[in-house]
Amino acid sequence: LGEDMQITFPVLLDTQKLCVLQNFYPYHYWINHKSITGKYDGAYMDKVRLLSERLLAISKDKDAYDFEPQIRNDFLSMTVLAVKNEIYRNYKAGRRTVTAHVRAICEDPKVREAMERHTMDKLSASIRLYIWLMKKGHYTACYWLVLVFFKLNYYLGREYKRQ
């Protein structure tokens, strides 16, 4: 998780000169439904924590700028994805098991801090609502909201593949 970010972040911090080429797009992201983005990964949140720790270490090592608020915001964004991953991709485990996992994620001290101290002011209403539900401990509401959202998108023709 985040391999590209772990490589480009320190490189950009060390860069003395940067040239941007117009109409040049060498990076092509291919969606692989067998990858972490396409299937359930019970260790996803552990990977999110590890990525955040590594980025903070890089930021402190390079000492170029205080990236901690941005890294915390990214951590929260990835935590929201982790909760959705837990609910949508682990649905076979059953609602009680899944909501217990969601509770464990949301009650983690680092997650609590990120929810309290994030500096993202341009969030969509749905993400603001979702973070509020996570913060207030409404894990069953999170569960049903994700399932309804994905089912609605499925019926509208925007299928999200489950593995």
Side-chain angles (χ1 to χ4, degrees):
L1 178 73
E3 296 87 356
D4 53 349
M5 193 182 302
Q6 292 179 62
I7 298 297
T8 56
F9 185 50
V11 168
L12 288 172
L13 292 177
D14 288 341
T15 299
Q16 299 296 313
K17 184 177 182 180
L18 182 66
C19 179
V20 178
L21 302 176
Q22 208 170 20
N23 299 321
F24 181 67
Y25 312 103
Y27 182 78
H28 299 284
Y29 186 81
W30 296 95
I31 295 176
N32 177 356
H33 291 293
K34 295 186 192 262
S35 74
I36 182 66
T37 58
K39 65 179 182 176
Y40 175 69
D41 181 358
Y44 185 84
M45 195 60 211
D46 294 331
K47 294 172 184 179
V48 168
R49 280 188 203 91
L50 183 59
L51 174 61
S52 180
E53 290 166 10
R54 287 182 176 165
L55 294 176
L56 280 171
I58 292 167
S59 177
K60 287 179 180 161
D61 180 56
K62 299 297 181 182
D63 197 29
Y65 178 79
D66 180 16
F67 287 100
E68 188 172 351
Q70 180 60 48
I71 293 168
R72 183 176 46 249
N73 290 347
D74 290 343
F75 174 77
L76 180 56
S77 296
M78 289 184 287
T79 298
V80 170
L81 292 176
V83 168
K84 290 179 179 181
N85 173 63
E86 185 63 43
I87 295 167
Y88 188 67
R89 306 260 183 235
N90 195 24
Y91 69 99
K92 289 180 183 176
R95 182 184 53 80
R96 289 176 194 225
T97 299
V98 170
T99 52
H101 291 174
V102 169
R103 176 187 307 271
I105 291 170
C106 295
E107 292 180 357
D108 177 274
K110 187 171 178 177
V111 173
R112 304 286 322 157
E113 177 190 11
M115 286 190 288
E116 294 297 329
R117 297 184 58 209
H118 77 83
T119 57
M120 298 179 283
D121 58 349
K122 298 205 188 277
L123 293 172
S124 68
S126 63
I127 296 297
R128 278 196 315 271
L129 170 64
Y130 208 78
I131 291 172
W132 183 84
L133 290 170
M134 290 168 57
K135 192 184 331 185
K136 297 298 183 182
H138 300 295
Y139 311 120
T140 302
C142 289
Y143 177 86
W144 290 114
L145 188 64
V146 168
L147 291 185
V148 167
F149 171 80
F150 281 106
K151 282 286 188 192
L152 181 63
N153 277 293
Y154 175 80
Y155 289 117
L156 293 174
R158 293 174 278 198
E159 182 178 357
Y160 294 90
K161 300 212 183 246
R162 286 186 178 174
Q163 296 295 325

